[in-house]
């Protein structure tokens, strides 16, 4: 009986030691896998952030191209007619109708100019700040979710700005047609 109790205790002790060894071995490999998967996740998040910033830059380039191709053309048209319109404005002091249309037209031209210059410059600065934050993120291993939110917000601002400028251009076109009737 003593021999069997010794065997039972020895086998229990050996099973306990083997279980502990297996537990520590499996726990160690799990930590390695966890660290490797964390590195992969951070790499993927960084790649996604870079793609979103690239998309943001492309949206901004589209806005700039629209400003250059469409808005600049309208502003040049307004500049070409400016002297004639000012002369008509001075000559038609008694015509309130023309003065109202001229003021509306002039406000639209100013709004178009201010929107395409000052506000797009503001957006460009925001994009540069986001690119800088993304670069700091790589160095400091910060979490990318806040930067991604800012990128998405700025991207929506760019698209809203483009829609706003398109609406101003449409208003300009209609006002320009009306005001051109006075030039002819």
């Amino acid at each position: 009986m003593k021999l069997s109790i010794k065997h039972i205790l020895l086998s229990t002790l050996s099973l306990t030691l083997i279980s502990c060894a297996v537990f520590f071995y499996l726990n160690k490999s799990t930590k390695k896998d966890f660290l490797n998967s964390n590195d992969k996740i951070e790499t993927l998040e960084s790649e996604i952030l870079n793609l979103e910033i690239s998309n943001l830059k492309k949206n901004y380039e589209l806005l700039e191209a629209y400003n250059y191709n469409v808005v600049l053309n309208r502003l040049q048209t307004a500049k070409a007619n400016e002297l004639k319109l000012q002369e008509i404005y001075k000559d038609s002091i008694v015509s309130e109708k023309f003065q109202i249309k001229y003021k509306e037209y002039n406000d639209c031209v100013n709004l178009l100019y201010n929107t395409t210059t000052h506000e797009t410059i503001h957006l460009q600065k925001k994009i540069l700040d986001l690119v800088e934050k993304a670069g700091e993120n790589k160095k400091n291993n910060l979490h990318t979710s806040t930067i991604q939110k800012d990128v998405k917000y700025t991207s929506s601002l760019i698209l809203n700005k483009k829609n706003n400028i398109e609406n101003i251009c449409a208003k300009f076109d209609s006002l320009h047609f009306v005001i051109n009737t006075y030039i002819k």
Side-chain angles (χ1 to χ4, degrees), residues 14-131:
S14 64
L15 281 174
T16 306
L17 288 174
I18 291 172
S19 300
C20 289
V22 168
F23 173 77
F24 286 117
Y25 174 75
L26 290 176
N27 195 21
K28 184 179 176 184
S29 65
T30 305
K31 284 182 183 178
K32 283 182 184 178
D33 292 343
F34 180 73
L35 292 175
N36 286 341
S37 64
N38 263 356
D39 290 340
K40 289 178 184 177
I41 289 171
E42 288 174 5
T43 303
L44 288 174
E45 284 178 344
S46 177
E47 289 176 11
I48 289 170
L49 181 63
N50 289 336
L51 289 172
E52 288 177 348
I53 288 176
S54 174
N55 189 29
L56 178 69
K57 287 178 182 179
K58 287 178 185 174
N59 285 341
Y60 183 76
E61 288 171 5
L62 288 173
L63 177 65
E64 280 188 322
Y66 183 82
N67 286 344
Y68 183 74
N69 293 327
V70 177
V71 176
L72 186 61
N73 185 19
R74 283 169 175 74
L75 289 173
Q76 287 172 341
T77 302
K79 184 72 174 169
N81 293 335
E82 184 177 3
L83 291 175
K84 292 177 189 175
L85 288 173
Q86 286 177 355
E87 288 174 13
I88 294 170
Y89 181 76
K90 289 177 186 176
D91 292 342
S92 64
I93 292 177
V94 291
S95 173
E96 281 186 40
K97 186 177 176 183
F98 176 77
Q99 289 179 357
I100 291 170
K101 291 293 179 191
Y102 178 76
K103 182 173 178 355
E104 202 176 339
Y105 172 80
N106 197 36
D107 289 345
C108 184
V109 170
N110 289 334
L111 181 64
L112 193 58
Y113 176 77
N114 290 333
T115 302
T116 57
T117 53
H118 303 298
E119 293 182 21
T120 52
I121 289 171
H122 174 73
L123 287 172
Q124 186 178 27
K125 287 179 183 177
K126 265 192 156 182
I127 292 170
L128 293 175
D129 287 344
L130 289 172
V131 169

Side-chain angles (χ1 to χ4, degrees), residues 122-177:
H122 174 73
L123 287 172
Q124 186 178 27
K125 287 179 183 177
K126 265 192 156 182
I127 292 170
L128 293 175
D129 287 344
L130 289 172
V131 169
E132 187 177 310
K133 281 182 184 178
E136 290 175 6
N137 184 33
K138 287 179 185 175
K139 292 177 187 175
N140 299 334
N141 291 330
L142 301 173
H143 197 51
T144 60
S145 65
T146 55
I147 299 172
Q148 285 176 325
K149 287 178 186 175
D150 289 343
V151 168
K152 288 178 182 176
Y153 176 73
T154 306
S155 185
S156 69
L157 283 178
I158 289 172
L159 294 176
N160 288 339
K161 187 60 56 196
K162 186 174 184 299
N163 290 338
N164 186 24
I165 291 172
E166 287 174 346
N167 291 336
I168 296 170
C169 283
K171 182 178 178 182
F172 171 85
D173 290 342
S174 66
L175 291 171
H176 182 70
F177 177 77

